[in-house]
Amino acid sequence: MSFFSSDFTLGILGGGQLGKMLLTETRKFDIKTAVLDPDASAPGRIATNSFSVGNLMDFQTVVDFGRQADVITVEIEAVNTEALAALEAEGKKVYPPSAALKIIQNKCLQKAHYGANNIPTSPFTNYESLKDLMLDVVSGTLSLPFVWKSAEAGYDGFGVQVVREIKDLDTLKEGACLAENLVDFQNEIAVIVARNAKGEAVTYPVVEMEFHPTANQVEFVLCPARINDQIAQHARELALRVADSFKIVGLLAVELFLTKTGELLVNEVAPRPHNSGHYSIEASVCSQFENHLRAVLNLPLGDTSSKMAAVMVNLVGAAGFQGQVKYENIEDILKIPGVTPHIYGKRETRPFRKMGHVTIVHQDIEKARENAATVKSTILVKST
Amino acid sequence: MSFFSSDFTLGILGGGQLGKMLLTETRKFDIKTAVLDPDASAPGRIATNSFSVGNLMDFQTVVDFGRQADVITVEIEAVNTEALAALEAEGKKVYPPSAALKIIQNKCLQKAHYGANNIPTSPFTNYESLKDLMLDVVSGTLSLPFVWKSAEAGYDGFGVQVVREIKDLDTLKEGACLAENLVDFQNEIAVIVARNAKGEAVTYPVVEMEFHPTANQVEFVLCPARINDQIAQHARELALRVADSFKIVGLLAVELFLTKTGELLVNEVAPRPHNSGHYSIEASVCSQFENHLRAVLNLPLGDTSSKMAAVMVNLVGAAGFQGQVKYENIEDILKIPGVTPHIYGKRETRPFRKMGHVTIVHQDIEKARENAATVKSTILVKST
């Protein structure tokens, strides 16, 4: 099948910033696309051949949308997997496969998958309800501190809570959940894998994530991670093994803990382009978005090596501002060599909402990190 | 004025491949755009907020289009400059300025400009008609060989002809034209300048162009050019001086001859993103398209240094094929590390039509050139 300047159509479920950045690559290759998103003003409404508004969790909406496409992919996990399975049964190619997405969507199933596949992860217990978890706390079977995770709908720090004291239990939501050991880690790192339908796979260099102290969101991503080569090599091999275990086609971002004893534990995965790979647009020979496209089209995978060191800074809405967005001091950061802002195009800001990111490249990672700190303290995402 | 996620509108005259690649940058910064092109299926019809079909040479069409924008720019020279002057008179920002565009559009005026500004160029004579040129040939005032250039509407090798023998005169078109000395050059090189309204300017590294032996089209562009540093530095200084002489805002691509005696002569210029700068998307810290955008918005200019060496290969329609395009062997070139195809999205191919380009990056320019030769001999632009 010919993809380039043809009638072949790639269907993309979700038109947020990840969909938007994927569309840059489909335009580069002139591949026809259709995008579905619940929000009529989603960033991915532009640069696609066809944009539809609809609920990604609605069975019929997803099936109807998928039927007009030749290959279907996602930029978000929260998609109706029954609909994806129905499309697969009709012979459509769905990447990631619905079976993988169904497991990954649910943190309890995801953890159980690691157990079943001998993939190192922090010790955990799955619970069908919050009540069951509470009973274990009461009986002393589950001792504090631990990390609580909601089985579903957790992202960007929502649905995850460290429980250190009894009063922290108050804030937990009802529903299926898990408790896992609090890991004493030295670094949170990530590896992105691209894997095509032939089973060919490549990994990106290990990146290091620095988190915001209170919002539990990634603030800086550094590539390469400042860890030793042997650990980096192990992390890449482990990530490949995780991608194989899910039979992923497309991208899989694998987030890992590097413990203080030098152990690698898989934290969680995302079967799509990922925040930890945004740096690759400027720094990698082939970006994560181009490799996602290559992978879902079963094309040869691109070179994941870096042209330069890079740091990515997330641009989130400043605390205390809500409404029509206004970016302050972008002109100041544009004066710094190697600085590239990406503005997602969301009109409304709110505290900690992801509104964009900035990539900072430099030959020297430490220098890139310094410039990133300047960027972070200069640019402000406020409201008008 | 705030440009990012605001109601500010950039108007782009022309929606060909240059417009399309410029739109990638406006999407990255979330800057609202409107595009005007005579072709309803132009590559730039997608990824803009508003696309209109209309004649770029029609006064009223261009004025009406320009009035809805805050800043107006071009991706092609063949635009009604009277309309642009009228828009300037109404207070609109037009970059490049209409006065510069008017001179550059016409090769006789452009050559006269170099004469008046003490910019080195090959010796030439302007003629109001082909008849006047013929009279000079007959009288012996103009001797063969020489290069004939039509004053207007010449691009991609059309409107330019080397006259070596009397019979070559037969093929020349009627109209204002010029005759210039045939330059005995060792290299054709180019320098792209980005200049903003504050008069700040930056230059890209010198690139080297290799031409197709018969079609008179650029086949390979190499960055950096394989010339010595001192000549490269002189070329960049000369290009800056040319940009200043035109009071350019936006990009100016300056094509130069490096003669066998080491002299630099300005051949011609283009006040817009240019084929010789396409490599910059992959290889430069800030691409020519991003710098065009920064320049016309009067933002600080980006770093023009290279992350890696690069060679750009033009993908043109194969001789003997016309109709619905079909790209052959793209999958083979995608296997080569550092290879990025850009498919412009023109549905119809014809011999030598520019249908796309491929960038090849490598740490070593010679190795990039080898891979580029492989790309060139592998990929084929045919019709179905």
Side-chain angles (χ1 to χ4, degrees), chain B residues 207-259:
Chain B
V207 300
E208 176 184 345
M209 296 176 287
E210 291 184 32
F211 280 74
H212 184 276
T214 60
N216 196 25
Q217 273 188 332
V218 174
E219 205 168 18
F220 299 101
V221 172
L222 289 77
C223 181
R226 295 165 296 185
I227 59 174
N228 81 46
D229 289 349
Q230 200 188 351
I231 290 171
Q233 190 52 38
H234 284 163
R236 292 173 80 158
E237 286 162 9
L238 177 55
L240 265 185
R241 199 150 68 73
V242 177
D244 283 341
S245 77
F246 283 115
K247 297 184 175 57
I248 281 295
V249 175
L251 294 183
L252 188 75
V254 182
E255 296 187 48
L256 304 131
F257 294 120
L258 173 58
T259 70

Side-chain angles (χ1 to χ4, degrees), chain A residues 216-233:
Chain A
N216 196 24
Q217 274 188 332
V218 174
E219 205 168 16
F220 299 101
V221 172
L222 289 77
C223 181
R226 296 165 296 185
I227 58 174
N228 82 45
D229 290 350
Q230 199 188 352
I231 290 171
Q233 190 52 39

Side-chain angles (χ1 to χ4, degrees), chain A residues 157-207:
Chain A
F158 301 103
V160 177
Q161 177 89 37
V162 181
V163 178
R164 295 185 192 274
E165 305 172 66
I166 293 297
K167 72 172 174 59
D168 294 337
L169 292 167
D170 254 15
T171 61
L172 306 184
K173 285 188 311 176
E174 283 297 338
C177 59
L178 64 87
E180 66 180 21
N181 288 10
L182 193 58
V183 176
D184 193 21
F185 59 82
Q186 49 170 302
N187 279 118
E188 290 199 60
I189 62 178
V191 175
I192 290 175
V193 182
R195 189 173 180 279
N196 67 19
K198 295 181 200 90
E200 294 166 350
V202 292
T203 57
Y204 280 84
V206 180
V207 300

Side-chain angles (χ1 to χ4, degrees), chain A residues 242-257:
Chain A
V242 176
D244 283 341
S245 78
F246 283 115
K247 296 185 175 59
I248 281 296
V249 175
L251 294 183
L252 189 75
V254 182
E255 296 187 48
L256 303 129
F257 295 120

Side-chain angles (χ1 to χ4, degrees), chain A residues 1-7 20 24 27-30 32 43-49 198 281-283 285 290 294 298-303 306-308 324-327 330-331 334-335 337-347 361 363, chain B residues 1-7 20 24 27-30 32 43-49 198 281-283 285 290 294 298-303 306-308 324-327 330-331 334-335 337-347 361 363:
Chain A
M1 175 168 284
S2 174
F3 307 116
F4 308 90
S5 294
S6 79
D7 289 323
K20 180 193 174 194
T24 299
R27 292 302 303 135
K28 186 169 81 183
F29 285 177
D30 194 43
K32 205 170 153 186
R45 75 191 181 283
I46 303 173
T48 177
N49 298 73
K198 295 181 200 90
I281 296 173
E282 283 78 18
V285 172
E290 182 178 333
R294 289 182 182 222
N298 206 15
L299 291 168
L301 300 169
D303 184 354
S306 291
K307 304 176 204 176
M308 291 177 92
Q324 169 87 31
V325 69
K326 182 164 178 270
Y327 296 90
I330 292 197
E331 306 203 6
L334 287 174
K335 287 177 191 158
V339 167
T340 309
H342 292 253
I343 305 298
Y344 297 155
K346 302 173 185 174
R347 282 288 172 114
V361 296
Q363 294 300 342
Chain B
M1 174 168 285
S2 174
F3 307 116
F4 307 89
S5 295
S6 78
D7 289 324
K20 180 193 174 194
T24 299
R27 291 303 303 134
K28 186 168 81 183
F29 285 177
D30 194 41
K32 205 170 154 187
R45 76 192 180 283
I46 302 174
T48 177
N49 298 72
K198 295 180 201 91
I281 297 173
E282 284 79 18
V285 172
E290 183 178 332
R294 288 182 182 222
N298 206 14
L299 292 169
L301 301 169
D303 183 355
S306 292
K307 304 175 205 176
M308 291 178 91
Q324 169 88 32
V325 68
K326 184 167 176 270
Y327 296 91
I330 292 196
E331 306 203 8
L334 287 174
K335 287 178 191 157
V339 167
T340 308
H342 292 253
I343 305 298
Y344 296 156
K346 302 174 185 174
R347 283 288 172 113
V361 296
Q363 294 300 343

